[in-house]
Amino acid sequence: MHEKHLYEYAVIRVVPKVEREEFINVGLMLFCKRQKYLRIEFHIAPEKIISICSEFDMSQLKENLESFVKIGKGLKEGGPIALFEVSERFRWLSAIKSSSIQTSRPHSGFSSDLDLTFEKLYAELVL
């Protein structure tokens, strides 16, 4: 039997018009402290975003989401936040924000295969 690890995940959302509070799930981040695991991926569906806000800046959204990935991977290009410990990076990325990119509250679970768990959650919540 494989050891199960406690993990947390948060859904990354785009809020095209913050004042309307409508959002579209565009990504997922999954974190496991014990395994020092933080995986972030995103998928932009422009047609969904444009249905809420026709003038939304897709290139800026892509750039901002790529920053999430760089921070998650701890890449120098992610800036000073990317140099934090894995748990601090996850906490910073999942903190409540009032910008057009927000995250859900973190949810937790147990998994013996973090990549498989990520894939299942990503398919269910983002794609």
Side-chain angles (χ1 to χ4, degrees):
M1 184 169 146
H2 297 290
E3 181 181 2
K4 291 201 174 212
H5 301 285
L6 175 66
Y7 69 86
E8 294 178 71
Y9 73 91
V11 179
I12 303 167
R13 303 168 169 166
V14 64
V15 185
K17 287 190 175 264
V18 176
E19 63 276 10
R20 287 179 56 167
E21 298 185 9
E22 297 172 315
F23 63 85
I24 297 161
N25 294 347
V26 294
L28 182 75
M29 56 180 139
L30 191 139
F31 159 67
C32 176
K33 183 176 181 177
R34 177 174 277 166
Q35 295 298 304
K36 295 184 179 181
Y37 178 100
L38 178 55
R39 181 173 169 188
I40 301 171
E41 290 188 26
F42 66 90
H43 171 78
I44 299 170
E47 65 285 351
K48 289 182 181 179
I49 297 168
I50 289 170
S51 73
I52 295 174
C53 180
S54 60
E55 68 275 3
F56 196 81
D57 187 342
M58 295 296 169
S59 61
Q60 185 64 54
L61 173 62
K62 185 173 190 268
E63 188 177 314
N64 292 346
L65 291 171
E66 286 171 348
S67 292
F68 264 59
V69 173
K70 289 174 186 172
I71 291 168
K73 290 182 175 180
L75 300 177
K76 185 171 58 173
E77 299 86 5
I81 306 296
L83 304 177
F84 290 0
E85 291 293 318
V86 174
S87 60
E88 294 171 315
R89 294 193 313 258
F90 177 76
R91 296 285 170 242
W92 189 87
L93 289 167
S94 63
I96 295 173
K97 298 170 186 65
S98 62
S99 65
S100 63
I101 298 177
Q102 302 178 6
T103 61
S104 68
R105 281 190 249 156
H107 306 278
S108 58
F110 287 96
S111 174
S112 56
D113 185 333
L114 296 169
D115 282 326
L116 181 61
T117 299
F118 182 94
E119 295 296 333
K120 286 180 180 178
L121 289 169
Y122 188 75
E124 178 183 326
L125 300 170
V126 179
L127 297 180

